[in-house]
Amino acid sequence: WPNAPLFEADEFIHVPVSGDDQVELAVNNPKGEAKANIFMMHGLGGDAQSSYKLRITRKLLPDGYRMLRLNHRGNGSKVLAAKGIYHSGSTQDVLAVIREIVKRWPDTPLLLVGFSLSGTILLNLLSWHADEIEKIPEIKGALSVCSPLDLHRSTIAVASRRNKHIDLFFARTLIDQLRKRKLISDDDIKTKFQKPTLRKVDEYVVAPLGGFRDASDYYDVCSPIKGLTKIRLPTLILTAADDPIVPPEGILEAPRSAAVTVRMERSGGHMGFLGRNLTPHKDYRWLDHFVQTWANHTLIEVLKKMV
């Protein structure tokens, strides 16, 4: 389907992170006072202009939400300046952005949404930094969409013959981005990535730059399925039984805290979720309407607790 039309941000916020890098936040303000901030993080190879983020921004702005779209390291106007990369364990970057958001808009409810790989980052954030998250009262809920919970299983699934086109697409996209940023050389491409795969990108780039021994170490450390029991913030994990990147095995059975709910749709693929019937927005983008419904419901629950 065609991509959503580009949507200009009202302003950009640049947040310092480690290594003298910055990450960029695209901000769209509603008319009048915002009833809540919705902080959205893109998937692997995406950015603040990813089509799903633009669609959701257009649809939720009229509801009174301030929409905040993150560009991870290496994306946005700071793309060539960033020396580091983002990966499934980039929780400190996200925590820095959250602190900046609540500093600028104190007492405004904040909802966190992570798509695909950013959903993995989000779950790790809520698990690894549970104490810090609990000390930020503005955060009211989190939604993780199509996030790899077991990176080992996801890598095996992507490498399968039936998903070779997906593996090749993501690997080529990342290699092109890394080459433009001079994080890999033309010689690297000839010697290490003649047959590009995501596993090779993780082994030769993500692991060494991220401080991991190798790809297996990276997957062991950053698979959030092992930390779901530590999450205290109300969190919803949305996934699909036919997701080619996130195998359903083990997700529903994984130990988790009472704060974590898993919703597995029968179909939806990876970030697809097209509905059979028209949504209130007169399209078939079930995911967009789901995010809107989740946000409204979360705020209603917050108000109930305040009464």
Side-chain angles (χ1 to χ4, degrees):
W1 285 19
N3 289 331
L6 294 181
F7 195 68
E8 295 297 326
D10 295 328
E11 63 173 315
F12 290 95
I13 298 172
H14 296 105
V15 182
V17 290
S18 63
D20 295 324
D21 281 345
Q22 294 183 3
V23 293
E24 185 176 71
L25 195 61
V27 181
N28 288 99
N29 297 302
K31 294 180 180 179
E33 186 177 354
K35 66 181 181 183
N37 292 323
I38 296 185
F39 173 40
M40 297 191 296
M41 297 174 282
H42 61 80
L44 189 65
D47 56 27
Q49 296 284 53
S50 292
S51 191
Y52 49 89
K53 293 170 82 171
L54 295 178
R55 295 194 319 261
I56 294 171
T57 294
R58 286 181 183 275
K59 292 170 180 175
L60 271 64
L61 269 177
D63 268 7
Y65 292 106
R66 179 180 292 109
M67 305 302 293
L68 310 167
R69 296 174 281 130
L70 180 65
N71 274 315
H72 283 292
R73 294 194 199 210
N75 295 106
S77 64
K78 302 295 181 181
V79 58
L80 297 180
K83 297 182 286 292
I85 60 170
Y86 72 96
H87 54 74
S88 298
S90 297
T91 58
Q92 290 288 357
D93 287 6
V94 175
L95 192 57
V97 177
I98 290 173
R99 287 173 175 152
E100 181 64 26
I101 292 171
V102 299
K103 176 183 175 182
R104 287 177 178 253
W105 298 289
D107 303 321
T108 301
L110 175 60
L111 305 179
L112 312 176
V113 184
F115 298 99
S116 195
L117 185 72
S118 276
T120 304
I121 298 173
L122 175 58
L123 294 174
N124 283 331
L125 170 76
L126 301 179
S127 170
W128 299 351
H129 307 280
D131 290 340
E132 293 162 271
I133 293 297
E134 200 166 44
K135 294 175 183 176
I136 305 176
E138 286 86 352
I139 304 177
K140 303 302 182 183
L143 171 62
S144 175
V145 181
C146 294
S147 52
L149 300 184
D150 185 326
L151 296 178
H152 284 286
R153 280 184 170 176
S154 287
T155 304
I156 293 170
V158 170
S160 67
R161 179 177 296 181
R162 68 189 295 264
N163 292 328
K164 187 63 181 176
H165 60 296
I166 299 175
D167 195 6
L168 195 59
F169 169 78
F170 279 114
R172 283 177 172 171
T173 298
L174 293 174
I175 289 170
D176 185 55
Q177 291 177 351
L178 292 166
R179 182 186 59 79
K180 289 178 180 177
R181 296 176 57 202
K182 298 182 180 180
L183 293 178
I184 59 174
S185 66
D186 290 337
D187 286 341
D188 289 330
I189 294 175
K190 292 177 182 177
T191 58
K192 299 175 181 176
F193 301 112
Q194 277 192 331
K195 294 182 178 180
T197 65
L198 273 176
R199 174 76 190 218
K200 288 181 179 178
V201 174
D202 288 339
E203 184 71 36
Y204 295 121
V205 182
V206 175
L209 290 182
F212 304 98
R213 289 194 309 273
D214 51 27
S216 292
D217 182 44
Y218 166 49
Y219 301 154
D220 283 339
V221 173
C222 296
S223 290
I225 197 165
K226 298 181 292 185
L228 298 180
T229 56
K230 300 177 183 178
I231 296 176
R232 302 171 202 164
L233 183 77
T235 301
L236 176 60
I237 298 174
L238 174 65
T239 186
D242 64 350
D243 190 323
I245 296 176
V246 185
E249 293 80 17
I251 293 179
L252 293 176
E253 299 79 21
R256 56 183 185 268
S257 72
V260 179
T261 302
V262 176
R263 174 165 175 167
M264 182 178 290
E265 294 295 311
R266 184 171 57 185
S267 62
H270 189 72
M271 296 288 298
F273 295 112
L274 298 176
R276 178 176 297 176
N277 302 313
L278 284 171
T279 72
H281 296 283
K282 306 302 179 184
D283 61 17
Y284 294 94
R285 295 288 188 178
W286 181 89
L287 175 60
D288 304 2
H289 183 55
F290 181 86
V291 173
Q292 183 178 32
T293 302
W294 166 80
N296 291 338
H297 175 76
T298 301
L299 288 187
I300 289 173
E301 292 301 308
V302 170
L303 291 174
K304 286 182 180 177
K305 293 178 182 178
M306 294 173 62
V307 174

